Amino acid sequence: MPELTEEDIKNMSPEQIAELQKQNCLFCNLASGKLPSKSIYEDDLCFAVIDINPATKGHVLLMPKDHYMIMPQAHEEVIKRLGKVSKLMSKAMIKAAGATGTNIFVANGAVAGQRAPHLIVHIIPRIENDGIDVFELPEKEARQEDLTNMQKLIASKLGTRIVNQEISKKESNELEEVDLKQVENMLK
Protein backbone atom coordinates (compact mmCIF):
# COMPACT_ATOMS: atom_id res chain seq x y z
CA MET A 1 0.00 0.00 0.00
CA PRO A 2 1.46 3.41 -0.94
CA GLU A 3 2.44 5.87 1.78
CA LEU A 4 -0.43 8.22 2.66
CA THR A 5 0.19 11.94 2.86
CA GLU A 6 -1.48 14.41 5.21
CA GLU A 7 -3.48 15.63 2.21
CA ASP A 8 -4.71 12.08 1.51
CA ILE A 9 -5.86 11.70 5.10
CA LYS A 10 -7.57 15.13 5.10
CA ASN A 11 -9.63 14.06 2.09
CA MET A 12 -10.76 10.77 3.65
CA SER A 13 -14.28 10.24 4.95
CA PRO A 14 -14.75 9.31 8.62
CA GLU A 15 -15.50 5.74 7.49
CA GLN A 16 -12.26 5.58 5.49
CA ILE A 17 -10.27 6.90 8.46
CA ALA A 18 -11.88 4.32 10.74
CA GLU A 19 -11.00 1.56 8.28
CA LEU A 20 -7.39 2.81 8.05
CA GLN A 21 -7.13 2.83 11.86
CA LYS A 22 -8.50 -0.71 11.98
CA GLN A 23 -6.05 -1.93 9.32
CA ASN A 24 -3.13 -0.46 11.25
CA CYS A 25 -4.31 -1.57 14.71
CA LEU A 26 -2.20 -4.35 16.22
CA PHE A 27 -5.16 -5.60 18.26
CA CYS A 28 -7.56 -5.66 15.30
CA ASN A 29 -4.94 -7.74 13.48
CA LEU A 30 -4.80 -10.10 16.48
CA ALA A 31 -8.61 -10.38 16.46
CA SER A 32 -8.70 -11.21 12.77
CA GLY A 33 -5.94 -13.82 13.11
CA LYS A 34 -3.50 -11.89 10.90
CA LEU A 35 -1.04 -11.92 13.80
CA PRO A 36 -0.31 -14.85 16.12
CA SER A 37 -1.32 -14.68 19.78
CA LYS A 38 -1.86 -16.82 22.85
CA SER A 39 -5.64 -16.68 22.58
CA ILE A 40 -7.66 -17.94 25.54
CA TYR A 41 -11.19 -16.76 24.73
CA GLU A 42 -13.24 -15.70 21.72
CA ASP A 43 -16.89 -15.07 20.97
CA ASP A 44 -18.78 -12.98 18.42
CA LEU A 45 -17.97 -9.64 20.13
CA CYS A 46 -14.67 -10.00 21.95
CA PHE A 47 -11.52 -12.02 22.41
CA ALA A 48 -8.83 -12.43 25.06
CA VAL A 49 -5.12 -13.12 24.82
CA ILE A 50 -2.28 -13.59 27.27
CA ASP A 51 -0.31 -10.33 27.46
CA ILE A 52 3.21 -10.71 26.02
CA ASN A 53 4.39 -7.97 28.43
CA PRO A 54 2.53 -9.06 31.56
CA ALA A 55 2.37 -7.18 34.85
CA THR A 56 2.11 -10.64 36.48
CA LYS A 57 2.07 -14.21 35.18
CA GLY A 58 -1.31 -14.77 33.50
CA HIS A 59 -2.10 -11.09 32.71
CA VAL A 60 -4.94 -11.18 30.17
CA LEU A 61 -5.97 -8.56 27.60
CA LEU A 62 -9.69 -8.69 26.81
CA MET A 63 -10.76 -6.66 23.78
CA PRO A 64 -13.69 -6.07 21.48
CA LYS A 65 -13.25 -7.44 17.97
CA ASP A 66 -14.47 -4.17 16.50
CA HIS A 67 -12.14 -1.20 16.68
CA TYR A 68 -12.94 1.21 19.52
CA MET A 69 -10.15 3.41 20.78
CA ILE A 70 -11.74 4.06 24.19
CA MET A 71 -14.64 2.65 26.20
CA PRO A 72 -17.10 5.53 25.60
CA GLN A 73 -17.02 4.73 21.85
CA ALA A 74 -18.11 1.11 22.29
CA HIS A 75 -21.69 -0.10 21.91
CA GLU A 76 -23.57 -1.06 25.09
CA GLU A 77 -23.75 -4.73 24.11
CA VAL A 78 -19.96 -4.81 23.76
CA ILE A 79 -19.46 -3.18 27.18
CA LYS A 80 -21.88 -5.67 28.77
CA ARG A 81 -20.03 -8.60 27.20
CA LEU A 82 -16.62 -7.27 28.28
CA GLY A 83 -17.94 -6.98 31.84
CA LYS A 84 -19.38 -10.50 31.82
CA VAL A 85 -16.23 -12.04 30.35
CA SER A 86 -14.02 -10.06 32.77
CA LYS A 87 -15.94 -11.61 35.64
CA LEU A 88 -15.48 -15.11 34.20
CA MET A 89 -11.75 -14.52 33.61
CA SER A 90 -11.26 -13.24 37.14
CA LYS A 91 -13.05 -16.26 38.57
CA ALA A 92 -10.95 -18.63 36.42
CA MET A 93 -7.72 -16.96 37.52
CA ILE A 94 -8.65 -17.35 41.17
CA LYS A 95 -9.68 -21.00 40.74
CA ALA A 96 -7.11 -22.28 38.27
CA ALA A 97 -4.07 -20.05 38.50
CA GLY A 98 -3.84 -19.76 42.28
CA ALA A 99 -4.50 -16.03 42.29
CA THR A 100 -5.96 -14.65 45.50
CA GLY A 101 -7.32 -11.57 43.74
CA THR A 102 -7.39 -9.73 40.44
CA ASN A 103 -7.12 -6.19 39.15
CA ILE A 104 -9.49 -5.39 36.33
CA PHE A 105 -9.12 -2.03 34.65
CA VAL A 106 -9.41 0.03 31.48
CA ALA A 107 -7.20 3.02 30.70
CA ASN A 108 -9.14 5.54 28.55
CA GLY A 109 -6.70 7.90 26.86
CA ALA A 110 -2.97 8.50 27.11
CA VAL A 111 -3.33 10.67 30.21
CA ALA A 112 -4.90 7.65 31.97
CA GLY A 113 -2.03 5.37 30.96
CA GLN A 114 -3.48 3.93 27.74
CA ARG A 115 -0.60 2.78 25.56
CA ALA A 116 -2.44 1.28 22.60
CA PRO A 117 -5.22 2.88 20.51
CA HIS A 118 -7.69 0.04 21.13
CA LEU A 119 -10.09 -0.53 24.02
CA ILE A 120 -8.48 -3.12 26.31
CA VAL A 121 -9.69 -4.57 29.60
CA HIS A 122 -6.67 -5.69 31.62
CA ILE A 123 -7.29 -8.64 33.93
CA ILE A 124 -4.29 -9.16 36.18
CA PRO A 125 -4.06 -12.11 38.58
CA ARG A 126 -2.70 -11.12 41.97
CA ILE A 127 -1.09 -12.96 44.85
CA GLU A 128 0.09 -11.68 48.22
CA ASN A 129 3.41 -9.78 48.03
CA ASP A 130 3.69 -10.05 44.23
CA GLY A 131 5.51 -6.72 44.13
CA ILE A 132 2.98 -5.03 41.87
CA ASP A 133 1.51 -1.70 42.88
CA VAL A 134 -1.04 -1.27 40.11
CA PHE A 135 -2.96 1.57 41.68
CA GLU A 136 -0.67 3.74 43.72
CA LEU A 137 -3.09 6.65 43.77
CA PRO A 138 -2.26 9.62 45.97
CA GLU A 139 -4.80 10.44 48.63
CA LYS A 140 -5.70 14.10 48.50
CA GLU A 141 -7.99 15.85 50.91
CA ALA A 142 -10.81 17.62 49.09
CA ARG A 143 -12.90 20.52 50.30
CA GLN A 144 -16.58 19.69 50.82
CA GLU A 145 -17.53 22.48 48.42
CA ASP A 146 -15.36 20.93 45.68
CA LEU A 147 -16.85 17.48 46.31
CA THR A 148 -20.39 18.87 46.13
CA ASN A 149 -19.65 20.82 42.94
CA MET A 150 -18.13 17.75 41.29
CA GLN A 151 -21.06 15.61 42.45
CA LYS A 152 -23.57 18.03 40.92
CA LEU A 153 -21.60 18.47 37.71
CA ILE A 154 -21.22 14.74 37.03
CA ALA A 155 -24.82 13.97 38.04
CA SER A 156 -26.11 16.69 35.70
CA LYS A 157 -24.07 15.29 32.79
CA LEU A 158 -25.42 11.80 33.53
CA GLY A 159 -28.95 13.13 33.71
CA THR A 160 -29.39 11.69 37.19
CA ARG A 161 -30.48 13.25 40.41
CA ILE A 162 -28.50 13.25 43.60
CA VAL A 163 -30.09 11.28 46.44
CA ASN A 164 -31.31 13.65 49.16
CA GLN A 165 -30.05 16.63 47.14
CA GLU A 166 -32.10 16.84 43.98
CA ILE A 167 -30.68 19.27 41.46
CA SER A 168 -33.20 21.90 40.47
CA LYS A 169 -33.52 23.04 36.83
CA LYS A 170 -31.99 26.40 37.81
CA GLU A 171 -28.99 24.71 39.47
CA SER A 172 -28.60 22.41 36.48
CA ASN A 173 -28.46 25.38 34.11
CA GLU A 174 -25.93 27.08 36.37
CA LEU A 175 -23.80 23.94 36.29
CA GLU A 176 -23.66 24.14 32.50
CA GLU A 177 -21.79 27.41 32.97
CA VAL A 178 -19.17 25.99 35.35
CA ASP A 179 -15.67 27.04 34.33
CA LEU A 180 -13.87 23.91 33.08
CA LYS A 181 -10.58 25.22 34.52
CA GLN A 182 -12.23 25.17 37.96
CA VAL A 183 -13.21 21.52 37.45
CA GLU A 184 -9.70 20.62 36.24
CA ASN A 185 -8.23 22.27 39.33
CA MET A 186 -10.56 20.26 41.57
CA LEU A 187 -9.27 17.05 40.00
CA LYS A 188 -5.60 17.91 40.60
Side-chain angles (χ1 to χ4, degrees):
M1 187 169 154
E3 187 76 24
L4 292 173
T5 66
E6 279 187 51
E7 190 63 32
D8 293 332
I9 295 171
K10 276 185 187 178
N11 293 324
M12 293 175 115
S13 70
E15 293 80 17
Q16 290 171 315
I17 291 172
E19 185 57 34
L20 180 63
Q21 288 174 331
K22 186 175 180 174
Q23 288 173 4
N24 291 310
C25 177
L26 166 71
F27 299 101
C28 288
N29 284 312
L30 288 172
S32 67
K34 291 179 185 173
L35 291 174
S37 67
K38 299 288 184 192
S39 179
I40 60 168
Y41 178 87
E42 183 174 358
D43 64 29
D44 59 324
L45 296 177
C46 62
F47 71 106
V49 298
I50 299 292
D51 192 340
I52 61 171
N53 296 304
T56 65
K57 186 177 173 183
H59 181 164
V60 170
L61 305 177
L62 173 63
M63 298 157 276
K65 287 184 172 180
D66 288 338
H67 185 78
Y68 304 105
M69 289 180 61
I70 56 174
M71 185 181 274
Q73 294 175 336
H75 296 290
E76 284 299 313
E77 64 191 59
V78 171
I79 298 302
K80 287 178 186 176
R81 183 73 55 83
L82 292 173
K84 188 175 186 176
V85 175
S86 295
K87 178 182 175 182
L88 294 171
M89 294 277 173
S90 178
K91 190 175 180 179
M93 287 175 179
I94 291 169
K95 283 186 172 183
T100 53
T102 58
N103 285 113
I104 301 172
F105 72 91
V106 173
N108 280 314
V111 72
Q114 185 176 10
R115 295 182 187 154
H118 193 101
L119 168 58
I120 298 172
V121 178
H122 294 264
I123 307 161
I124 303 172
R126 301 299 303 274
I127 58 170
E128 191 76 32
N129 300 316
D130 60 12
I132 303 297
D133 230 343
V134 176
F135 296 108
E136 195 173 307
L137 300 175
E139 290 187 26
K140 297 180 179 181
E141 193 166 326
R143 297 180 340 192
Q144 280 300 317
E145 179 184 350
D146 291 344
L147 294 173
T148 300
N149 287 340
M150 188 56 63
Q151 177 190 30
K152 288 180 180 179
L153 179 66
I154 293 171
S156 73
K157 296 298 178 191
L158 288 172
T160 59
R161 69 176 190 84
I162 299 169
V163 178
N164 298 326
Q165 295 178 357
E166 190 169 338
I167 300 173
S168 70
K169 200 68 164 159
K170 179 180 177 244
E171 286 176 314
S172 182
N173 290 337
E174 289 170 2
L175 288 172
E176 293 294 323
E177 299 168 13
V178 169
D179 181 6
L180 290 178
K181 289 289 182 203
Q182 179 184 359
V183 173
E184 288 172 7
N185 289 332
M186 282 190 275
L187 294 172
K188 289 182 181 173

